[in-house]
């Protein structure tokens, strides 16, 4: 049985309001199951590949499932993630907002995760479930029949790689994310997807693998490297994001922090990895070695 959502543990940032201006509330096909895609990640900066993942998932859903997509969300990670090269949450949220508003009609940015203490991915998905199904009342058919919206994680295949590594993720979080919600995993170059999912066979029915028919290996890490070297990143990112970076002089003097990385679980939208420090206990949904 999936674990229950602990709504009483939710906290909201100051002046927070859940965005739903692009969220469809009425199913076009009453036989389908409504679904919302959530991508968690650093988005430092957001790239066309991040946005392209949603389109690939949309095609996959339409051709291979009984789901109907009601909307998609980017959820930038909190500054407390302490990742080298991580820009402030305000800039990352602003860039994601510019990217989504400029390029499509169904993606949104939720700042709930970004502007507070670090939240585990399992709790972030619970937050979306609570906002969409409890607060907003889910979806309905044209005949007025109510349906709960299914929340599903969208991520690159590097995420599945970390989930399949013993001791990286807590089993309870894997059960919650993959058992209760499920995920769409987009293939990324150099990641053995099939092999990675072998150890996650318990949840295979909830893991949907999406092939990249046109390979795209653009990453935030490469974009930051280009910017530090004074190279153009136009057409790797939405124009509004390129202009924002230029206007604010971002990533020009990026300094890699020498302080210990507090959170080591990889968020789904970025492929960067940090070394694992030896804390004595886990509070982030990851089993970590004791000192």
């Amino acid at each position: 049985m999936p674990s229950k959502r602990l709504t009483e543990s939710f906290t909201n940032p100051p002046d927070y309001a859940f965005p739903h201006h692009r969220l469809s509330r009425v199913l076009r096909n009453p036989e389908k199951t409504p679904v919302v895609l959530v991508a968690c990640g650093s988005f430092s900066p957001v790239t066309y590949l991040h946005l392209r993942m949603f389109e690939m998932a949309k095609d996959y859903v339409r051709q291979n499932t009984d789901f109907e997509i009601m909307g998609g969300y980017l959820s930038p990670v909190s500054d407390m993630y302490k990742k080298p090269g991580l820009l402030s949450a305000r800039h990352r949220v602003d860039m994601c907002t510019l990217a989504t508003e400029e390029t499509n009609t169904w993606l949104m940015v939720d700042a709930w995760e970004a502007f507070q203490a670090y939240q585990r991915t399992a709790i972030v998905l619970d937050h979306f479930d609570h906002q969409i199904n409890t607060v907003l009342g889910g979806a309905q058919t044209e005949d007025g029949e109510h349906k709960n919206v299914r929340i599903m994680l969208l991520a690159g295949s590097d995420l599945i790689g970390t989930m399949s590594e013993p001791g990286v993720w807590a089993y309870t979080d894997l059960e919650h994310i993959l058992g209760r919600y499920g995920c769409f995993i987009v293939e990324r170059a150099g990641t053995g997807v099939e092999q990675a999912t072998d150890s996650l066979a318990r949840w295979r029915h909830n893991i949907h693998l999406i092939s990249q028919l046109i390979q795209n290996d653009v990453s935030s890490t490469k974009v930051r490297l280009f910017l530090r070297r004074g190279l153009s990143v136009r057409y790797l990112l939405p124009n509004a994001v390129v202009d924002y970076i230029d206007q604010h002089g971002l990533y020009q003097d990026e300094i890699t922090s020498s302080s210990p990385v507090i959170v080591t679980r990889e968020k789904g939208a970025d492929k960067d990895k940090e070394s694992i420090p030896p804390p004595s206990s886990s509070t982030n949904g990851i089993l970590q070695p004791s000192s």
Side-chain angles (χ1 to χ4, degrees):
M1 286 292 292
S3 54
K4 293 183 179 179
R5 170 168 33 88
L6 300 177
T7 57
E8 63 270 21
S9 67
F10 290 153
T11 58
N12 288 335
D15 303 318
Y16 170 76
F18 181 70
H20 56 88
H21 56 294
R22 289 176 162 181
L23 182 67
S24 297
R25 306 292 295 281
V26 179
L27 272 168
R28 295 187 300 273
N29 185 340
E31 303 301 318
K32 300 280 189 178
T33 298
V35 64
V36 161
L37 306 179
V38 177
C40 298
S42 301
F43 304 112
S44 186
V46 61
T47 73
Y48 271 130
L49 179 55
H50 294 135
L51 303 175
R52 178 66 186 156
M53 286 170 59
F54 283 93
E55 293 298 318
M56 286 186 280
K58 191 175 184 180
D59 286 340
Y60 178 91
V61 164
R62 184 174 60 251
Q63 296 174 1
N64 300 283
T65 76
D66 291 325
F67 298 136
E68 182 176 316
I69 293 180
M70 311 303 284
Y73 287 89
L74 283 73
S75 181
V77 72
S78 165
D79 288 341
M80 297 302 292
Y81 189 52
K82 300 296 184 183
K83 181 178 183 177
L86 187 66
L87 207 62
S88 73
R90 170 52 62 193
H91 283 311
R92 291 182 289 112
V93 168
D94 284 350
M95 287 189 290
C96 286
T97 301
L98 287 170
T100 54
E101 295 295 326
E102 176 190 81
T103 59
N104 68 85
T105 60
W106 63 285
L107 297 185
M108 293 156 281
V109 180
D110 182 25
W112 182 82
E113 182 183 2
F115 293 127
Q116 60 174 316
Y118 172 75
Q119 300 291 331
R120 291 159 28 230
T121 299
I123 299 301
V124 174
L125 297 179
D126 283 348
H127 155 75
F128 279 97
D129 188 20
H130 174 69
Q131 289 291 336
I132 292 173
N133 287 312
T134 301
V135 177
L136 296 178
Q140 62 180 19
T141 66
E142 292 182 352
D143 294 333
E145 177 189 356
H146 172 267
K147 286 197 173 188
N148 269 2
V149 176
R150 183 166 177 183
I151 310 301
M152 297 187 72
L153 182 67
L154 173 65
S157 55
D158 47 310
L159 178 73
I160 282 292
T162 67
M163 286 182 167
S164 64
E165 294 176 13
V168 176
W169 288 71
Y171 178 86
T172 52
D173 271 30
L174 291 178
E175 174 64 31
H176 199 76
I177 295 167
L178 301 179
R180 177 184 175 91
Y181 295 111
C183 64
F184 291 97
I185 299 297
V186 177
E187 172 193 45
R188 302 187 89 166
T191 305
V193 180
E194 296 296 339
Q195 182 178 357
T197 55
D198 287 346
S199 62
L200 304 173
R202 174 186 178 90
W203 304 286
R204 185 64 186 85
H205 65 288
N206 268 349
I207 302 174
H208 299 266
L209 303 178
I210 304 172
S211 298
Q212 277 204 73
L213 300 181
I214 298 177
Q215 291 299 319
N216 182 342
D217 66 348
V218 174
S219 70
S220 298
T221 303
K222 292 177 181 178
V223 168
R224 295 195 302 270
L225 179 61
F226 271 42
L227 289 167
R228 290 200 304 273
R229 292 180 176 176
L231 302 176
S232 171
V233 295
R234 199 166 294 277
Y235 307 119
L236 299 178
L237 321 175
N239 284 337
V241 176
V242 176
D243 293 340
Y244 183 94
I245 290 172
D246 183 59
Q247 291 165 10
H248 293 271
L250 305 180
Y251 303 112
Q252 300 303 309
D253 299 304
E254 183 177 307
I255 300 175
T256 301
S257 173
S258 60
S259 59
V261 176
I262 295 177
V263 178
T264 60
R265 176 184 48 72
E266 224 174 349
K267 302 296 283 187
D270 282 324
K271 64 195 310 181
D272 313 48
K273 292 184 180 180
E274 291 82 49
S275 58
I276 299 178
S280 58
S281 63
S282 172
T283 57
N284 299 308
I286 313 161
L287 298 178
Q288 300 192 15
S290 58
S291 55

